[in-house]
Amino acid sequence: MMKFIRQNPLFVIGFVMVVILLGVAGIYDWVSPYGLEQMDMRNRFALPSAIHWLGTDNFGRDLATRLAAGARISLTIGIGTVAISALIGTALGIISGYYGGYVDTILMRVVDVFMAFPAFVLALAIIAVLGPGPLNLVISLAAIYWTQYARVARAMTLTEREKDYVAAARGIGASATRIITLHILPNILGPLIVLATFGMGTAIVAESGMSFLGLGVQPPTPTWGWSLAYGLKYLRAEPWMSTAAGLSLMFAVLAFNLLGDGIRDYLDPNRVTTKAVKKAVRTNVKRA
Amino acid sequence: MGVLIHLVKRVMLFLPMLVGVTIVSFALLQLVPGDPVAVLLGDNATPEQIAHMRTQLGLDQPLLIQFTTYVGNLLHGDLGVSIFKNEPVFDLITSRLPATLELAFGAITVSVVLGIPLGVVAAMRQGTVIDLIALVFAQLGVALTVFWLAILLMYVFAVQLTWLPAIGRGEPIVSAVQILLFEGRAGPLLDSLSHLILPSIAMGLQGAAMICRLVRASMLEVLNSHFVRTARAKGVKERRVVWSHALSNALLPVVTMIGLQFGNLLSGAVLVEGIFGWPGLGQLTVGAISQRDFPLVQGVAISFAVLVGLINLLTDLTYAYIDPRIRI
């Protein structure tokens, strides 16, 4: 256990941060003594204290509770976006890479076109036509992020489909669907998991950005982005409100980025651990 | 000759992308659930108003005719008329574009000026405190969201310290430089720069963190290569080896990165311009989307895509120019 922690510090830090985030988002309404809209007018704009851990807003509402609620929304939208975009992107990427030819050319040109737009701007344009709201937010974000999964899945499939195990599966008469789902997919999952982990951070930032502009999840739902925009009104006198929301956002993004870095390092075949080096040296010495 | 062939190839790839971008921006209006005109005008619109708007948007025509008209107009630089501002979309975009480009170049400057030296020093001093600081900066810089950073900078440097202006844009940099050159007055340029600093840092810091990470990794690889060992063996001074021999090679991926970052910068501009009251394309976009001004949304989307496409084309050509291996 200690060895794993020593060898994968980024993974461990990221993992612990993500667990904290999930925990807070999951159980805040059971643990917090305050309701989301419960006001305490005598304690308006309070700074962090034992009573209000993260202080209060302009109505004396408990910021810790509201930010935890924001975490739940951000994580839900992040997970929704990553799940849909990963599913669509991976499926199209594998089909593109496995079949090649016209299918590949057409799909990859579609990917190019989607990637030509600045991601956030295209998502905003889609929100403009669909209208704001959590579901439309997930659709608009998934519509821009599927391309990343498609590219990675295609590139990985192109390498995998030439390998002997795929030829062997084809040789014993396995269908294309079987080869793709049971043979290729498990072998290309690693990089896709890394991408999905980073994708969580990106989706959370994009969601907050949209809510910040008032185009995402609508008030009174206390999203982080909306809390930041709301705190901006009181920035001169009470900067803590937007600072708390900003710190929460940073914590979440950092958590998923560190976890992504950690998983990537862990899966990196070129990574050589100290112990592996020592073992190799010992073996060589013995042979000599 | 090699560069010319590369240029032609690259432009040929750009054209189908333009066609695709046109189709996507055309499709945006078709995506509106229900009747776009009813969505635009609300419940209180009279049938005459609805019919008038339908004609204005060309929605009374069959889909194919709508598309060919749309493409035909685009080829003439006609992006339609904004519903709420009642001005040609093309004029609105071109009048706002210089402000956004100014901001984007300011941000790229911040990214490069901060990111490259920090990355180089971190690679030179691998495993030391400086390296650790650079790594922490790289992680935190990426995690800092642009709009929060913008708010933080505004609070510290404009509200508390009052060193820099909080909102607005001074004289356009180009005219401020002209004033300096032809009239000898430096005031407008200093004022413009003071307005530019905070939004540029807000937009550029994330890029600086990414560039720092990339340069560090790239430098570590290059510093271990044979030509660096040769240069050292020949007795070239370490400073020259690092900053001249190694860095010029390590910077190649950074050129691509800067090109790719441009799209992110434009996305960042949408968020940052509103905070700093910067009169650019970003604010125009947010306004268009909040009002659901569909022709303006389509126009902005297509202009952003063309802009990013052009910058990527330019990046590719720069890359081919500075790295002869690409042309072979």
Side-chain angles (χ1 to χ4, degrees):
Chain A
M1 181 70 183
M2 284 313 287
K3 191 187 83 182
F4 183 82
I5 295 175
R6 256 203 319 277
Q7 285 175 355
N8 306 282
L10 290 182
F11 177 86
V12 175
I13 299 169
F15 182 75
V16 170
M17 287 170 81
V18 169
V19 168
I20 292 172
L21 202 62
L22 287 171
V24 167
I27 61 164
Y28 78 89
D29 36 6
W30 295 338
V31 179
S32 170
Y34 306 101
L36 264 186
E37 300 298 330
Q38 188 183 329
M39 298 183 198
D40 178 2
M41 294 307 268
R42 276 177 300 182
N43 267 322
R44 294 167 72 227
F45 296 119
L47 287 174
S49 66
I51 312 166
H52 295 287
W53 288 3
L54 288 179
T56 58
D57 67 4
N58 56 323
F59 290 113
R61 293 177 295 194
D62 185 55
L63 272 182
T65 312
R66 291 179 70 76
L67 291 174
R72 185 180 288 180
I73 300 154
S74 286
L75 287 173
T76 312
I77 287 176
I79 291 168
T81 304
V82 167
I84 295 175
S85 46
L87 201 70
I88 296 173
T90 308
L92 292 178
I94 295 181
I95 290 170
S96 191
Y98 187 77
Y99 289 106
Y102 285 117
V103 180
D104 185 34
T105 311
I106 293 170
L107 279 173
M108 282 307 112
R109 289 300 79 78
V110 173
V111 168
D112 284 347
V113 169
F114 271 84
M115 288 188 121
F117 291 93
F120 191 65
V121 175
L122 184 60
L124 278 178
I126 297 174
I127 275 288
V129 292
L130 294 181
L135 184 64
N136 289 347
L137 195 56
V138 171
I139 294 173
S140 70
L141 293 178
I144 54 171
Y145 290 131
W146 68 274
T147 51
Q148 300 174 355
Y149 298 92
R151 278 217 165 154
V152 172
R154 174 185 175 268
M156 300 291 298
T157 307
L158 281 178
T159 322
E160 293 299 316
R161 75 169 185 187
E162 304 301 331
K163 288 189 177 166
D164 288 344
Y165 73 90
V166 175
R170 217 177 277 142
I172 58 167
S175 67
T177 321
R178 191 180 167 83
I179 293 173
I180 286 174
T181 50
L182 288 181
H183 298 281
I184 293 181
L185 186 63
N187 281 298
I188 64 168
L189 266 184
L192 291 170
I193 291 171
V194 175
L195 197 59
T197 315
F198 285 121
M200 276 297 289
T202 319
I204 288 173
V205 171
E207 181 275 322
S208 306
M210 298 247 188
S211 302
F212 180 77
L213 294 173
L215 300 165
V217 181
Q218 295 298 296
T221 314
T223 57
W224 288 340
W226 182 75
S227 302
L228 257 167
Y230 192 66
L232 191 57
K233 290 183 198 166
Y234 302 95
L235 186 67
R236 195 172 286 269
E238 306 293 343
W240 174 245
M241 262 172 73
S242 49
T243 308
L247 283 174
S248 312
L249 189 54
M250 192 170 147
F251 182 88
V253 179
L254 198 58
F256 285 106
N257 282 357
L258 286 174
L259 187 63
D261 276 341
I263 299 175
R264 188 178 50 197
D265 289 352
Y266 183 71
L267 294 176
D268 186 1
N270 294 325
R271 191 180 76 138
V272 185
T273 61
T274 325
K275 192 168 178 188
V277 172
K278 280 181 186 164
K279 195 178 167 189
V281 171
R282 267 204 309 275
T283 321
N284 285 340
V285 169
K286 269 183 200 167
R287 272 187 197 152
Chain B
M1 195 63 192
V3 177
L4 197 69
I5 293 171
H6 186 75
L7 175 80
V8 173
K9 271 189 196 165
R10 195 57 188 72
V11 172
M12 293 305 281
L13 278 175
F14 184 58
L15 292 177
M17 192 216 73
L18 269 185
V19 175
V21 164
T22 314
I23 295 173
V24 171
S25 60
F26 172 76
L28 277 176
L29 195 58
Q30 317 299 325
L31 271 174
V32 180
D35 182 1
V37 179
V39 170
L40 257 174
L41 296 176
D43 295 335
N44 299 324
T46 61
E48 289 78 27
Q49 284 172 323
I50 291 180
H52 176 70
M53 182 60 78
R54 203 180 294 280
T55 317
Q56 192 186 331
L57 293 175
L59 293 173
D60 52 347
Q61 302 288 327
L63 202 63
L64 197 65
I65 304 286
Q66 281 183 41
F67 184 66
T68 44
T69 316
Y70 183 70
V71 174
N73 288 343
L74 273 184
L75 290 174
H76 290 97
D78 179 4
L79 292 170
V81 176
S82 157
I83 295 165
F84 290 92
K85 294 185 189 287
N86 209 17
E87 280 178 61
V89 170
F90 185 79
D91 293 352
L92 281 169
I93 291 172
T94 45
S95 67
R96 302 291 193 106
L97 187 62
T100 299
L101 287 182
E102 199 173 275
L103 202 53
F105 286 118
I108 289 175
T109 311
V110 170
S111 302
V112 169
V113 169
L114 267 177
I116 293 177
L118 202 57
V120 173
V121 175
M124 282 167 66
R125 306 259 183 275
Q126 195 193 3
T128 63
V129 181
I130 298 173
D131 189 24
L132 188 70
I133 293 171
L135 284 175
V136 171
F137 168 75
Q139 279 292 353
L140 290 184
V142 174
L144 262 174
T145 40
V146 273
F147 48 104
W148 185 47
L149 181 63
I151 294 172
L152 274 182
L153 289 171
M154 191 194 230
Y155 178 71
V156 175
F157 295 102
V159 177
Q160 287 299 316
L161 301 172
T162 60
W163 287 354
L164 293 162
I167 53 166
R169 177 193 184 204
E171 193 77 25
I173 295 277
V174 180
S175 17
V177 171
Q178 281 172 350
I179 292 173
L180 177 70
L181 291 179
F182 300 118
E183 298 174 28
R185 286 190 292 123
L189 184 62
L190 291 175
D191 181 55
S192 301
L193 289 175
S194 69
H195 279 94
L196 191 61
I197 291 173
L198 290 183
S200 298
I201 296 176
M203 273 168 58
L205 203 70
Q206 204 170 42
M210 286 177 178
I211 288 179
C212 168
R213 239 174 132 154
L214 190 66
V215 169
R216 180 184 175 274
S218 187
M219 276 298 278
L220 283 176
E221 206 180 305
V222 174
L223 282 173
N224 285 322
S225 57
H226 291 172
F227 74 89
V228 169
R229 199 173 56 185
T230 311
R232 278 181 182 144
K234 279 164 67 184
V236 179
K237 280 182 186 160
E238 185 62 15
R239 183 182 292 180
R240 194 171 153 76
V241 169
V242 171
W243 293 97
S244 174
H245 292 239
L247 184 62
S248 54
N249 279 279
L251 279 186
L252 291 172
V254 178
V255 175
T256 314
M257 171 83 137
I258 292 171
L260 291 174
Q261 267 298 100
F262 195 77
N264 283 343
L265 283 179
L266 292 180
S267 297
V270 173
L271 291 155
V272 168
E273 284 183 5
I275 298 170
F276 288 104
W278 192 266
L281 267 186
Q283 279 214 60
L284 189 74
T285 310
V286 175
I289 286 161
S290 318
Q291 293 175 320
R292 308 186 87 180
D293 189 340
F294 296 131
L296 192 50
V297 171
Q298 284 177 311
V300 164
I302 208 165
S303 331
F304 271 127
V306 170
L307 209 58
V308 171
L310 283 175
I311 294 287
N312 282 339
L313 184 67
L314 205 67
T315 313
D316 259 24
L317 297 179
T318 316
Y319 202 101
Y321 179 73
I322 57 177
D323 187 359
R325 285 169 296 187
I326 304 290
R327 298 197 293 267
I328 299 167

